Amino acid sequence: MIMEKLYNMLRKLACFVMGIILTLCLSGWGPFDWFFTKPIVPPKGSETWVENEIETIHSQAKNINVEVLKLGLVAYINAKHQGVSEKDLLTIIDYSKPSIQRRLWVIDLKNGKVLFNTWVSHGKNSGTIHATSFSNKPGSLKSSIGVFKTMSDPYMGANGYSLRLVGLENGFNDKALQRYIVFHGAWYAHPDVIRKHGYLGRSWGCPAVRLDTVRPLINTIKDNSLVVVYYPDRKWINHSTFLAG
């Protein structure tokens, strides 16, 4: 009986002591506080954050150029700082890739997910398989490069379900609204066209995607999300306020 009482007392004492130690550890004290410490999340926009995002995104989309992705993330950070876009969403189009490759990505930066990776057209006067010439001029039938943001309201236009783009860079794409540069669907943006002709069909300057992709894509990126249309144009890269830093 005495031994049983002693055992119970010791057990209660041990529970009490462990409770105190656990409380102190959770408050940041003690030799085991590392066990309860939450992982450090780097500040959004820091170099570590950029490197982490690159690793996460590239693990899901091996076909994205890491340097282009990095430029896109820098543009996203600067757009945030400038108050251009509050959405944690980034669309990248890489026109350094030929039209036979999937060169459009939509990235959810909040959850670290690649939502879309698909084919996208370029303007008929920008090139055939490769886009090599770009313009901001109305009637040029060429694609524009640079940083854009999407408008809020999709609409039904001559090319069906569409979404206007606002060009944010003077001299490179600021005439996008005037030129009616929009996301829209097109039969010629399907990989079947590549198999038949050897390259994707071309638009009048709009980033056209396949018909079965356009509605979910537009509904995802509408309402002031950022779109970065890349080409290794040194003038744009060196002068863009969105790529500084």
Side-chain angles (χ1 to χ4, degrees), residues 117-148:
N117 178 203
T118 191
W119 295 268
V120 62
S121 70
H122 57 252
K124 65 177 296 184
N125 287 343
S126 283
T128 306
I129 298 177
H130 293 86
T132 56
S133 181
F134 302 89
S135 178
N136 191 36
K137 184 179 178 181
S140 65
L141 305 188
K142 294 183 179 182
S143 297
S144 297
I145 59 174
V147 180
F148 301 76

Side-chain angles (χ1 to χ4, degrees), residues 97-114:
K97 291 180 176 289
S99 67
I100 60 175
Q101 295 182 15
R102 291 177 294 143
R103 53 185 178 171
L104 180 151
W105 300 263
V106 178
I107 303 162
D108 176 359
L109 292 171
K110 182 178 181 180
N111 299 301
K113 299 289 185 182
V114 177

